[in-house]
């Protein structure tokens, strides 16, 4: 009898814990279920409007899909035609690479220098920051037409200003050799968006680093290059990657800023950017299968360049914790 009593007494402290564990597990399950319920709309939207169309476009890139009637499997014919039989494919790719090559570093440098200028402690600096930021939020066809008037060879303000200093301005949007530089110049107008990010990064650089560099006799240029730039390299890297991706998607400028509105990308296809050529193939020639093949090629190019940037970032991007990964 005593043995049974002892065993019963020893088991009694354990039994109340079982309901507590069950209630805890039940609460965790409820939290997991409600978490899934709240995230379910995003999951459904992602599957329906992102992942699903992504798979569909991959499939159609191997077909002769024309939006309306046919969708027959043609294998790699679209890709073969793209690389070997479409001269405008290489023209549009060259135009886009030219734009990316000059726009990304120039826009990055302009935004950084503008942020340095706007970081000075002077009266009325907030007004100047607002003025320089405003162009980055103005977008649309109206802005393109405004710049077409500014870059008009005969009556535009840009050539008039160049004439005041004795420089004969080029035929910006008429001469095929100057159309892409004109677009690159126009895009510098919106450097205020990057300026805002750089300005936030500059204001996060500790003052004692500048004081130590100044005590060591470093000039303002050396302080900028050896203190400021290393401290804001994560932001520079972020801007480079996002600007690179955005630059490959240039489209509206080549569609709108042309002299002949019936010929997108004119004059002489100098503004026929990759996305514009893809758009014309899809919605003018109704070669949707070919257009999706172009889209996937661009996707692969952007992914490769982004991975290269991420690999090279370990050599020059410095994080506050000292870990470059």
């Amino acid at each position: 009898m005593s043995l049974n009593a002892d065993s019963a007494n020893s088991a009694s402290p354990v039994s109340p814990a079982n309901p507590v564990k069950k209630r805890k597990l039940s609460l965790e399950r409820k939290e997991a279920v409600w978490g899934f319920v709240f995230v379910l709309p995003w999951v459904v939207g992602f599957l329906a409007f992102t992942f699903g169309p992504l798979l569909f476009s991959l499939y159609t890139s191997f077909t002769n899909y024309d939006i309306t009637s046919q969708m027959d499997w043609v294998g790699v014919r679209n890709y073969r035609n793209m690389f070997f039989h479409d001269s405008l494919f290489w023209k549009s790719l060259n135009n886009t690479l030219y734009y990316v090559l000059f726009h990304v570093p120039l826009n990055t440098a302009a935004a950084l220098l503008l942020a340095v200028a706007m970081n000075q402690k002077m009266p009325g600096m907030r007004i100047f920051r607002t003025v320089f930021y405003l162009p980055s939020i103005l977008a649309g066809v109206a802005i393109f037409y405004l710049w077409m008037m500014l870059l008009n060879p005969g009556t535009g303000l840009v050539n008039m200003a160049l004439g005041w200093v004795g420089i004969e301005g080029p035929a910006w949007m008429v001469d095929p050799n100057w159309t892409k530089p004109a677009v690159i110049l126009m895009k510098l107008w919106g450097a205020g968006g990057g300026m805002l990010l750089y300005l936030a990064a500059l204001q996060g650089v500790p003052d004692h680093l500048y004081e130590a560099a100044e005590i060591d006799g470093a000039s303002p240029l050396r302080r900028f290059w050896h203190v400021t730039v290393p401290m804001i390299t994560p932001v520079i890297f972020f801007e480079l990657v996002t600007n690179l991706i955005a630059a490959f998607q240039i489209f509206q400028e080549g569609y709108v800023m042309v002299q002949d509105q019936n010929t997108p990308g004119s004059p002489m296809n100098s503004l026929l950017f990759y996305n514009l050529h893809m758009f014309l193939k899809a919605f003018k020639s109704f070669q949707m299968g070919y257009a999706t093949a172009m889209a996937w090629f661009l996707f692969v190019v952007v992914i490769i360049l982004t991975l290269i940037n991420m690999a090279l970032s370990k050599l020059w991007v410095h994080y506050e914790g000292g870990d470059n990964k």
Side-chain angles (χ1 to χ4, degrees):
M1 293 294 294
S2 61
L3 181 61
N4 293 335
D6 292 341
S7 61
N9 291 335
S10 62
S12 58
V14 179
S15 57
N18 293 332
V20 174
K21 289 182 179 179
K22 290 182 179 180
R23 285 196 299 269
K24 185 177 180 180
L25 292 175
S26 177
L27 180 61
E28 291 178 352
R29 290 195 186 97
K30 288 182 179 179
E31 290 180 349
V33 169
W34 278 110
F36 180 76
V37 169
F38 283 117
V39 82
L40 185 61
W42 181 91
V43 173
V44 173
F46 174 77
L47 294 176
F49 301 111
T50 301
F51 189 70
L54 195 68
L55 293 180
F56 178 77
S57 68
L58 179 61
Y59 174 77
T60 56
S61 69
F62 296 98
T63 68
N64 60 352
Y65 183 46
D66 66 351
I67 303 179
T68 57
S69 59
Q70 60 184 4
M71 192 174 179
D72 303 320
W73 183 268
V74 295
V76 297
R77 189 176 71 185
N78 289 327
Y79 294 93
R80 186 171 58 250
N81 292 338
M82 184 171 63
F83 291 125
F84 300 108
H85 301 291
D86 185 4
S87 60
L88 291 180
F89 166 80
W90 295 108
K91 179 68 175 178
S92 64
L93 185 60
N94 288 335
N95 289 338
T96 304
L97 291 176
Y98 180 99
Y99 172 77
V100 171
L101 181 63
F102 287 96
H103 166 73
V104 173
L106 287 176
N107 189 73
T108 301
L112 178 56
L113 294 178
L114 192 58
V116 172
M118 294 298 103
N119 195 39
Q120 306 304 312
K121 296 180 180 179
M122 297 176 59
M125 189 55 67
R126 292 185 178 180
I127 298 176
F128 285 104
R129 293 171 183 172
T130 304
V131 169
F132 281 106
Y133 175 70
L134 281 177
S136 65
I137 62 175
L138 300 177
V141 176
I143 301 301
F144 300 145
Y145 278 106
L146 170 64
W147 272 97
M148 288 177 67
M149 291 189 292
L150 292 175
L151 296 172
N152 187 286
T155 60
L157 291 179
V158 175
N159 279 4
M160 289 177 60
L162 292 175
W164 293 339
V165 294
I167 300 176
E168 183 179 356
W172 293 101
M173 301 307 298
V174 179
D175 187 350
N177 297 319
W178 284 97
T179 51
K180 287 186 288 293
V183 172
I184 294 170
L185 174 65
M186 182 200 72
K187 298 296 284 186
L188 289 177
W189 190 54
M195 175 206 72
L196 201 64
L197 291 176
Y198 288 127
L199 185 60
L202 289 172
Q203 293 182 351
V205 178
D207 292 334
H208 69 267
L209 296 178
Y210 293 115
E211 295 171 358
E214 189 174 0
I215 292 174
D216 290 339
S219 63
L221 183 59
R222 283 184 172 272
R223 291 200 297 270
F224 173 76
W225 186 252
H226 294 288
V227 177
T228 304
V229 172
M231 290 297 295
I232 64 172
T233 47
V235 178
I236 296 176
F237 172 65
F238 171 79
E239 275 290 289
L240 283 175
V241 172
T242 54
N243 281 341
L244 181 71
I245 296 173
F248 270 103
Q249 300 177 27
I250 182 172
F251 163 75
Q252 297 181 78
E253 291 78 359
Y255 191 76
V256 176
M257 299 182 67
V258 293
Q259 298 298 318
D260 184 3
Q261 296 298 326
N262 295 321
T263 310
S266 61
M268 296 180 63
N269 294 318
S270 59
L271 289 178
L272 184 66
F273 295 111
Y274 191 92
N275 271 16
L276 177 57
H277 184 43
M278 180 170 60
F279 171 83
L280 294 176
K281 283 292 184 181
F283 299 106
K284 187 175 181 180
S285 302
F286 294 104
Q287 300 178 29
M288 183 61 74
Y290 184 88
T292 53
M294 291 184 62
W296 274 95
F297 174 76
L298 181 63
F299 174 76
V300 171
V301 169
V302 172
I303 287 292
I304 292 174
L305 291 178
T306 302
L307 292 176
I308 292 174
N309 276 328
M310 295 181 68
L312 294 178
S313 67
K314 298 178 182 179
L315 303 177
W316 63 276
V317 179
H318 307 283
Y319 295 98
E320 189 173 354
D323 188 0
N324 288 0
K325 296 181 180 180

